[in-house]
Amino acid sequence: MSALAERLTLVRHSDEEAWTENVAREMATILGHEIGQRGRARMLLSGGTTPAPVYELLAEQPLEWARVEVGLADERWLSPQDRDSNAWLVRHSFLNLAEGAHFDPLVRVGKSLAECVHDANLQAEYSQPACLVVLGMGNDGHTASLFPGSRDLERALQGNKPYAALDASGCPVARDWHLRITLTPRGLASVGNRLLLLRGKQKLEVLEAALASGDVHRYPVLAAIDAPGPKLRVHWCG
């Protein structure tokens, strides 16, 4: 486990309830500190069922939500109103409860994929830098929409902008949603605090395999682990 300790901070929790409570508390602390220092805070959230209970509990924290801006780490090429979009999950698990928080979806209805990526990069360049990003990881080692084996992975990994479009055709984990918008390593490096939320023994084994491999193309989660700045904090429970 030495590689884990050297390259990231692994926080183990006794059970799912403790995991949810402690992650939500840590997120609230980061946001509260940023609001105190800068007057506002910006965070980037991921979709999926894993972080949803954390978002629900976070929304109950006594923060000035009107001072918080929320963006996304990645998104499927779907309308924000589509129930399969990350925007829908974030809206219904967090934004509907955190009254006053401002949301910037990655997909804008009526705009092309290229236009949405352009807008996301302008937003990242001219908005207050995000103080927090919440990430997940698939059993294939992907994070955000950086999928191993996807035709655009290398371009996204080498991109000089915070966000990139990605075609994940051929990647079974991407399912029917091949076209994506995703944070790049450049975008990950600009965030002050990076949290990776994992549950289950298999996810920890994948993380260990990624560190042993050192191959970011096989395990794109390494882009989050090796990004410059503070160590990635991994919150895990069995």
Side-chain angles (χ1 to χ4, degrees):
M1 301 297 285
S2 60
L4 287 174
E6 290 173 4
R7 296 172 64 184
L8 52 82
T9 300
L10 177 62
V11 185
R12 299 171 181 266
H13 303 278
S14 57
D15 53 39
E16 186 175 337
E17 182 178 358
W19 178 88
T20 302
E21 292 177 352
N22 290 324
V23 175
R25 187 179 303 115
E26 181 170 325
M27 291 177 68
T29 298
I30 293 169
L31 294 171
H33 178 77
E34 184 80 350
I35 292 170
Q37 292 291 310
R38 307 187 64 170
R40 299 190 64 80
R42 180 172 177 80
M43 67 174 170
L44 307 176
L45 301 180
S46 295
T49 56
T50 297
V54 173
Y55 299 160
E56 293 171 1
L57 191 58
L58 174 63
E60 297 178 5
Q61 305 303 306
L63 290 175
E64 296 180 80
W65 292 116
R67 296 180 179 271
V68 175
E69 299 175 6
V70 182
L72 293 172
D74 70 311
E75 182 59 283
R76 298 161 175 171
W77 183 236
L78 293 171
S79 163
Q81 282 72 50
D82 193 302
R83 293 177 66 94
D84 289 317
S85 70
N86 290 341
W88 192 93
L89 182 138
V90 168
R91 182 174 289 112
H92 286 267
S93 63
F94 176 71
L95 292 161
N96 286 352
L97 306 172
E99 186 175 351
H102 175 76
F103 183 47
D104 293 311
L106 286 173
V107 173
R108 307 280 182 167
V109 176
K111 291 195 172 187
S112 68
L113 179 60
E115 289 172 326
C116 288
V117 173
H118 176 74
D119 289 350
N121 284 320
L122 284 180
Q123 180 82 14
E125 181 177 356
Y126 292 108
S127 293
Q128 179 173 320
C131 66
L132 171 64
V133 61
V134 174
L135 300 166
M137 184 191 71
N139 289 332
D140 63 343
H142 85 267
T143 193
S145 283
L146 299 170
F147 288 94
S150 58
R151 64 180 63 179
D152 291 330
L153 179 60
E154 178 63 18
R155 183 174 57 81
L157 291 174
Q158 298 300 324
N160 61 1
K161 298 288 186 182
Y163 286 94
L166 186 136
D167 185 342
S169 296
C171 300
V173 177
R175 297 166 65 189
D176 295 330
W177 305 291
H178 300 147
L179 294 181
R180 307 279 182 132
I181 301 173
T182 184
L183 274 175
T184 65
R186 172 75 175 269
L188 288 165
S190 68
V191 183
N193 296 274
R194 298 186 296 271
L195 305 185
L196 179 63
L197 309 188
L198 304 179
R199 292 203 311 255
K201 181 181 178 181
Q202 185 175 6
K203 291 291 180 76
L204 192 58
E205 291 173 347
V206 171
L207 187 65
E208 291 173 328
L211 290 167
S213 165
D215 185 350
V216 71
H217 296 90
R218 183 177 178 185
Y219 296 100
V221 70
L222 289 169
I225 294 171
D226 295 332
K231 285 184 181 180
L232 178 74
R233 286 179 59 80
V234 181
H235 287 273
W236 176 83
C237 70

